[in-house]
Every structure is written in C-alpha cells, then in structure tokens.
Amino acid sequence: MYKYLITAIIIALFAGCSAPKPKTVPSWYTTLPKDFNFIYATASNSDDLKAKKQAIAKLRSQINKELDDAFIKQTTKLAVASNQDIKPILKTNEYVANTLSMRAVSIDKRAVFKGEHLVLVKLSRKTLFDALSRSLNKKLPLSIKAFKNTQDQIAIKRYIVISKLMKNYVIIASLIQAKKVAIANYSTYDEFTHLNELFTAYKKLKKDITISVLSDVNSRGFTSPVKNALRASGLLLSSQMSSKDALKLLITSKTDQTQNYSFNQSKSLVKFTTYDINKKQVAFKQHTFIGKSRKNFKEAKQESAIHLKSKIRKVGIFHFLGLEK
C-alpha cells in the first residue's frame, strides 16, 4: 500500500517538473479575449488562489468603468441633464459592481511564468444579466405601478409618492445600465423611459408646489420645526400662493398651563390645517404636546416644541400634517 502511494507521489512530482513552462507571456494574458458570452479578466500572483481573487477584482473594475462611462459620456438612454450631479450615480455604480455575486466566475486558462501564476477568469454574461434582473425586479415594477397610480392625484399627493420613488432612482438607473453592460444588445428604452418620466414629474412638482406657513400668536414656537421639515422634504416655502398647486398651512393651538407637583407643565393642542389655492381644506391633523420645567411655563412650552420636532422626525412631515396616511 505504502509502496504504491510513494510511487504515485514520485510520478506526480516528475510530472510537475516536466510540465512545459511558457517561454513568453501567453497571448491570452496580454490580450483579453473578446466574447459575446463571457467577460474576461487576468491577473498574476505567486499564489494561484490570490491570482484568481485579483482577477475577480479586475472584473468588478471593468464593469464599474463601463457603467461610469455610459453616464459620464451620456451614451445611456437616461436623460441626464447637463447640470445634474451624477456623483450619486457614480457612487452607486461602484456599489453595484462591488456587490455583484462572483460565484459563477471560473478560471478559463492558467500558466506559470517566471514563478508567477497567471490566470484568465471568465464570467457568463447571461448569469450576470439574470442576477441584475432579479435585483432590478425587486424595485422597478413597484416604482412603475406607484407612479402610474399618482396620475389622478392632486399635486402634493403626487409629490409625496414620487419623492419617495426618487430615493430608488439612482440604484434603478445603475442596475438598468449594468444589464446593458452584461448584454450589449439589450434594449433599456422602456426601463429608462419610466425613470425619465419620473424625474421630469419630480422636477415639475418641486417647481410648482409652494407652501405658505402661517400661525396664530400662541403657535409661533411650533412653526420653525415644521418649516425646516418641509424644506428638508424638497419643497419651497413662500409667503405667496403663486401657482395653482400652491398650499397654505395654518397652525393654531390652545395651551393649558398647570402646576404638576414641583413642575410647571405646558400642554398644547396644536392643529395643522392645509388649504389649496381655492381655500379648500386638503388635510387636517392635530397633536397634543406636553412639556415640563422646574423654571417657568415658557421653558415648559419650549420643551413641548422639542417633542413636536421629535414627532416629525419619527413619523415624517407629510404624515405629521395629515397629507399622507
């Protein structure tokens, strides 16, 4: 038994020593094959496994570069405006490329040259395309459906939905173009048409919708957090209602002040009523906020305003105002 084992080891050693070593770097290493079915990359390292890992990293870089080039050179079907900041798209391209599954990558060729392991790895374009499609299908159909459902809604309701859809705009754009990188003859027209319509609607609504925020004397301390949240939502505040989609938000409140043991307690019932340009009520919501202070009632009321700000941050400004269910 041991004799056969030793013989097998010796044969394997001689076979390894006698394996032909290339006198020059193989052509497949210096010039990547061009193929409609696979994406290729090469790498070298003293360790075969590390060489494969480096080649996979190059695959990711290649995909990342092709994605970036499409948006930078505007060869994509996405209607990227000349003044639009594409940095978020480029950042997302890097994320997409670096999170792609590389389980299907295999070594197509290998050689040893001057002590270095040379490898040529390949990734099936169809496998890549299918993986990207699965990721995209988790986001795009929902976006298309939600966008279509806004068509008959008033401007502010449309904006609330579309502004949320815009949060996935960049990742969807990157995934669509990545499918094009995987299979060059794939048509992205329909998918990018949705994004172009979404972006156009978003820009128009941001321009058309303005909000005028008014309050009674007792509610002045509650207006600042509301205004800041509305600005953060992307909407423009204005003292005038200059378009048909303009809104007016009226904040009123009633405050009760009581002594609660050693605390001064301020309890305010705050009402938020939103009207359109025709003075028709489009939303109403009321909240109660309680603040306490050992010092005085003024400080207690300021504390209740802090609770208001916290509530906005928790539920979102549109839900807070009753504009969103």
Side-chain angles (χ1 to χ4, degrees):
M1 176 90 179
Y2 289 108
K3 182 172 73 173
Y4 292 122
L5 181 60
I6 292 171
T7 302
I9 292 172
I10 292 172
I11 292 172
L13 287 172
F14 274 108
C17 294
S18 61
K21 302 289 193 302
K23 294 181 180 180
T24 59
V25 179
S27 60
W28 53 259
Y29 185 82
T30 56
T31 305
L32 284 178
K34 293 182 179 180
D35 196 321
F36 291 110
N37 297 315
F38 296 96
I39 302 175
Y40 294 91
T42 59
S44 67
N45 195 284
S46 57
D47 180 82
D48 191 70
L49 182 59
K50 289 181 179 179
K52 181 182 178 182
K53 289 181 178 180
Q54 289 175 355
I56 290 175
K58 285 187 178 181
L59 274 177
R60 295 188 188 279
S61 295
Q62 287 175 215
I63 294 169
N64 192 174
K65 185 178 184 306
E66 286 192 52
L67 275 173
D68 286 353
D69 286 348
F71 292 104
I72 292 171
K73 298 176 182 178
Q74 296 190 18
T75 58
T76 171
K77 295 295 182 182
L78 186 69
V80 180
S82 58
N83 61 345
Q84 184 180 348
D85 183 9
I86 65 168
K87 287 182 181 178
I89 295 179
L90 301 184
K91 185 176 181 180
T92 303
N93 289 344
E94 183 180 10
Y95 168 80
V96 169
N98 288 336
T99 55
L100 289 171
S101 174
M102 292 291 170
R103 293 179 182 177
V105 172
S106 61
I107 295 179
D108 187 57
K109 295 181 185 296
R110 53 164 42 98
V112 177
F113 181 74
K114 294 184 177 180
E116 288 284 297
H117 290 263
L118 313 181
V119 296
L120 173 70
V121 300
K122 65 180 182 181
L123 172 63
S124 166
R125 290 182 178 275
K126 186 179 184 307
T127 299
L128 176 60
F129 181 88
D130 290 344
L132 291 165
S133 296
R134 286 192 294 272
S135 296
L136 188 60
N137 287 341
K138 294 177 182 178
K139 303 178 184 296
L140 185 58
L142 294 175
S143 180
I144 293 173
K145 182 179 179 181
F147 180 63
K148 286 182 177 179
N149 288 342
T150 67
Q151 300 304 316
D152 297 326
Q153 295 180 354
I154 63 173
I156 186 61
K157 300 282 188 178
R158 288 197 77 203
Y159 180 81
I160 292 169
V161 175
I162 290 174
S163 61
K164 288 184 177 181
L165 296 180
M166 284 299 296
K167 293 178 180 179
N168 281 325
Y169 172 86
V170 171
I171 183 66
I172 289 175
S174 184
L175 288 171
I176 293 171
Q177 190 60 37
K179 289 173 68 176
K180 182 75 172 177
V181 170
I183 297 180
N185 62 359
Y186 175 72
S187 175
T188 60
Y189 179 81
D190 290 340
E191 294 167 333
F192 275 136
T193 293
H194 164 66
L195 288 189
N196 291 334
E197 291 175 351
L198 181 69
F199 187 67
T200 299
Y202 178 66
K203 286 197 301 180
K204 187 177 187 306
L205 288 167
K206 283 189 68 174
K207 180 182 177 182
D208 293 345
I209 300 174
T210 59
I211 298 185
S212 175
V213 181
L214 304 174
S215 70
D216 59 15
V217 175
N218 189 61
S219 308
R220 288 176 181 173
F222 300 118
T223 61
S224 182
V226 174
K227 286 183 175 181
N228 290 338
L230 287 169
R231 290 192 190 96
S233 75
L235 293 179
L236 179 66
L237 299 187
S238 175
S239 59
Q240 297 179 342
M241 300 178 72
S242 55
S243 76
K244 65 180 182 64
D245 295 319
L247 300 169
K248 179 174 72 176
L249 172 63
L250 180 61
I251 305 174
T252 58
S253 63
K254 180 181 178 181
T255 301
D256 293 325
Q257 297 176 338
T258 57
Q259 197 75 31
N260 189 352
Y261 297 101
S262 60
F263 288 98
N264 299 296
Q265 179 175 290
S266 175
K267 181 179 180 180
S268 296
L269 175 63
V270 191
K271 299 180 179 181
F272 302 87
T273 312
T274 306
Y275 300 93
D276 65 14
I277 195 168
N278 299 315
K279 299 181 180 180
K280 178 182 177 182
Q281 181 178 310
V282 296
F284 173 80
K285 196 85 169 183
Q286 64 181 25
H287 304 273
T288 299
F289 300 101
I290 299 173
K292 295 180 180 180
S293 170
R294 292 184 183 275
K295 187 177 179 181
N296 53 44
F297 287 114
K298 181 180 179 180
E299 188 177 83
K301 190 172 182 180
Q302 290 172 344
E303 180 69 20
S304 65
I306 293 174
H307 293 323
L308 178 146
K309 182 179 180 180
S310 177
K311 183 75 176 284
I312 292 175
R313 188 165 53 246
K314 181 179 180 180
V315 302
I317 184 61
F318 298 123
H319 181 78
F320 180 85
L321 295 176
L323 289 163
E324 178 185 24
K325 293 181 179 180

